[in-house]
Amino acid sequence: MNVLVVNAGSSSLKYQLFDMDKNTVLAKGLCERIGIDGRITHSPADKEGFKADLPMKTHADAIKYVIDALVDKNHGVVKSLKEIDAVGHRVLHGGAKFHESVLIDDKVLAAIEECIPLGPLHNPANLTGIRSCAEVLGKDFPQVAVFDTAFGMTMPEKAFLYAIPHRYYDDYKIRRYGFHGTSHRFVSARAAQMLGRPASELKIITCHLGNGSSVSAVKNGKCVDTSMGLTPLEGLPMGTRSGSIDPAVIEFISEHENKSAKEVLRILNKESGMLGITGKSSDFRDLHAEAKKGDDRCQLAIDIFTYAVRKYIGAYMAAMEGVDAVVFTAGVGENDREIRADVCKGLDFMGISLDEDKNSNAPRGTEAVISKDSSKAKILVIPTNEELVIAKDTVDIVLNRK
Ligand code: AMP
């Protein structure tokens, strides 16, 4: 069974075609500048790829070019559309409605639409991606929605409810949802396999550290707490997001600089975090390079970040009454040895002991155990694979296995 995985953004669309019988990726690619002009980058696994500027007024135009690329004589990986069996979509916000992945029908589309106020930037783009696929592939072509928020739906009320008047939850479902759920789900399940123990008896802390970052507490295979909230702004300081701050800061800036709440939130989302502290970059590679040259602010930004991750690890150990494994994943977690070392520094007293050599020698992009043999909790590096989870869920749902 071949599954096309689609991640539609406001002006971009990422795709991967999986052969799920052979467990391989046949091709992947990216459409950019949709609605502006249009560019496709297509990379088949065993053939030469191509880049082309093609007019993409809409996402449907982009999907047509993706299908053309996948069946192309020279760069294609399947003979015809008939060899694509289903599409799986990444959908950011499923609100309180979606606790797991679902087969898309009109009711599901309406429900995703109802979640737009919770995910105003992403959900409209995700919907456009789904509707464009239906337009190009036919209304009855099987499509599955996989929600970034679904993994967090197992959190107990004490973890997900904000201490604000209850009517805001009753009326608008304002609560902690959490994001990166597909990633936390994938790496926590993989950690259990690496430990050779059932997930149902493990306490795992998953640190998804990238441009956007979040930490989850996964107990007995279920998410019991996570750092992001109603939106991805809460929790850790990130590349350009502030993470958790005193909400009174918003009013303070708004009054002192005559800015609307919306404008202040834009600053907290786009101009804060590592970029805001340093005024230089949101990319940890740049921060390390500048810190080594003596830029104190860049070092401070790194310290603020690792201190925050460390605090979440402590908090989630308390929440779960222990931990069996701490997992690092995503761009920073998988690649940045210095950040991993910094996060784990001084945690030996909690049974989390990093092996400096194993950490330094862990090859990039592969799984690794980087804790000391004597460490009570294992420290793992696990490359995330959200697309694979989406493809697997799609197969399960389309074959009615779920
Ligand atoms: P992601 O959002 O998961 O794609 O992660 C992107 C971030 O990962 C970038 O902003 C970088 O800060 C970081 N990153 C990627 N590669 C490396 C690397 N080799 N070393 C350190 N950081 C990296």
Side-chain angles (χ1 to χ4, degrees), residues 346-378:
L347 298 188
D348 303 72
F349 79 99
M350 302 201 300
I352 300 170
S353 299
L354 187 89
D355 184 312
E356 296 283 350
D357 289 338
K358 285 185 193 162
N359 182 45
S360 310
N361 297 328
R364 291 210 164 96
T366 53
E367 292 176 350
V369 181
I370 55 169
S371 42
K372 285 185 184 151
D373 293 342
S374 59
S375 179
K376 205 164 163 222
K378 290 266 183 290

Side-chain angles (χ1 to χ4, degrees), residues 210-212 282-285 330-332 335-336 364:
N211 193 32
S282 60
D283 192 306
F284 279 87
R285 287 163 290 197
V332 177
N335 293 299
D336 196 326
R364 291 210 164 96

Side-chain angles (χ1 to χ4, degrees), residues 2-51:
N2 293 335
V3 176
L4 180 64
V5 172
V6 170
N7 184 356
S10 55
S11 66
S12 69
L13 186 148
K14 285 189 215 153
Y15 63 94
Q16 285 196 23
L17 184 66
F18 284 85
D19 177 340
M20 295 305 286
D21 301 320
K22 295 196 184 120
N23 241 325
T24 53
V25 176
L26 298 172
K28 57 171 86 169
L30 168 70
C31 295
E32 293 168 282
R33 300 176 61 85
I34 301 168
I36 307 165
D37 37 29
R39 179 176 307 145
I40 185 167
T41 307
H42 178 70
S43 312
D46 300 323
K47 285 182 174 176
E48 206 174 313
F50 69 89
K51 274 186 191 187

Side-chain angles (χ1 to χ4, degrees), residues 190-202:
R190 185 69 201 119
Q193 287 173 345
M194 285 172 76
L195 296 183
R197 289 171 61 190
S200 57
E201 57 183 49
L202 288 170

Side-chain angles (χ1 to χ4, degrees), residues 310-327:
R310 215 175 304 148
K311 284 205 293 185
Y312 269 106
I313 292 174
Y316 288 168
M317 275 184 76
M320 295 194 289
E321 299 172 20
V323 67
D324 297 297
V326 175
V327 181

Side-chain angles (χ1 to χ4, degrees), residues 46-351:
D46 300 323
K47 285 182 174 176
E48 206 174 313
F50 69 89
K51 274 186 191 187
D53 291 334
L54 296 165
M56 296 177 193
K57 282 203 183 116
T58 63
H59 283 69
D61 293 335
I63 290 285
K64 277 184 205 142
Y65 289 125
V66 170
I67 303 293
D68 286 349
L70 291 171
V71 302
D72 185 78
K73 264 196 190 132
N74 299 318
H75 307 284
V77 288
V78 288
K79 287 197 196 79
S80 76
L81 201 54
K82 284 194 185 122
E83 291 181 33
I84 302 174
D85 301 289
V87 182
H89 291 268
R90 180 181 188 199
V91 179
L92 181 87
H93 219 304
K97 285 197 174 72
F98 295 105
H99 294 220
E100 53 188 24
S101 306
V102 286
L103 190 65
I104 298 170
D105 58 17
D106 287 342
K107 270 192 191 153
V108 169
L109 277 174
I112 297 174
E113 196 147 9
E114 275 174 38
C115 297
I116 287 178
L118 297 170
L121 299 179
H122 295 83
N123 273 34
N126 302 151
L127 274 169
T128 307
I130 296 167
R131 291 195 171 115
S132 302
C133 284
E135 201 179 312
V136 176
L137 302 169
K139 199 174 175 309
D140 295 327
F141 196 87
Q143 298 199 68
V144 167
V146 179
F147 299 92
D148 229 23
T149 47
F151 191 58
M153 296 313 289
T154 50
M155 277 186 277
E157 230 174 353
K158 66 182 174 190
F160 77 65
L161 201 63
Y162 293 124
I164 58 177
H166 200 279
R167 72 177 183 84
Y168 291 116
Y169 177 63
D170 298 333
D171 293 349
Y172 308 114
K173 292 284 171 283
I174 292 178
R175 51 161 282 176
R176 173 184 313 287
Y177 287 97
F179 297 85
H180 299 136
T182 317
S183 175
H184 290 292
R185 181 177 141 201
F186 175 80
V187 297
S188 58
R190 185 69 201 119
Q193 287 173 345
M194 285 172 76
L195 296 183
R197 289 171 61 190
S200 57
E201 57 183 49
L202 288 170
K203 297 163 183 170
I204 301 172
I205 296 174
T206 49
C207 306
H208 178 111
L209 311 180
N211 193 32
S213 296
S214 61
V215 184
S216 285
V218 184
K219 189 174 184 182
N220 305 334
K222 292 194 163 58
C223 176
V224 293
D225 209 341
T226 193
S227 59
M228 282 179 167
L230 174 73
T231 76
L233 184 56
E234 195 184 346
L236 295 169
M238 310 178 208
T240 64
R241 295 186 197 126
S242 62
S244 297
I245 57 165
D246 182 341
V249 170
I250 297 171
E251 194 207 15
F252 192 100
I253 295 176
S254 161
E255 282 198 354
H256 279 74
E257 300 207 339
N258 197 23
K259 287 184 163 71
S260 65
K262 204 172 176 179
E263 172 61 5
V264 179
L265 277 173
R266 194 196 62 75
I267 293 168
L268 296 181
N269 268 301
K270 304 268 184 205
E271 294 179 9
S272 301
M274 302 299 105
L275 178 65
I277 298 162
T278 63
K280 283 194 173 166
S281 177
S282 60
D283 192 306
F284 279 87
R285 287 163 290 197
D286 299 336
L287 303 187
H288 288 303
E290 292 299 315
K292 279 183 187 116
K293 282 191 235 158
D295 186 319
D296 291 340
R297 281 287 185 82
C298 287
Q299 186 56 53
L300 177 63
I302 292 169
D303 292 345
I304 289 172
F305 180 74
T306 54
Y307 177 63
V309 180
R310 215 175 304 148
K311 284 205 293 185
Y312 269 106
I313 292 174
Y316 288 168
M317 275 184 76
M320 295 194 289
E321 299 172 20
V323 67
D324 297 297
V326 175
V327 181
F328 287 97
T329 193
V332 177
E334 290 166 29
N335 293 299
D336 196 326
R337 296 151 180 159
E338 289 170 68
I339 292 289
R340 293 195 302 251
D342 243 22
V343 167
C344 295
K345 200 183 285 169
L347 298 188
D348 303 72
F349 79 99
M350 302 201 300

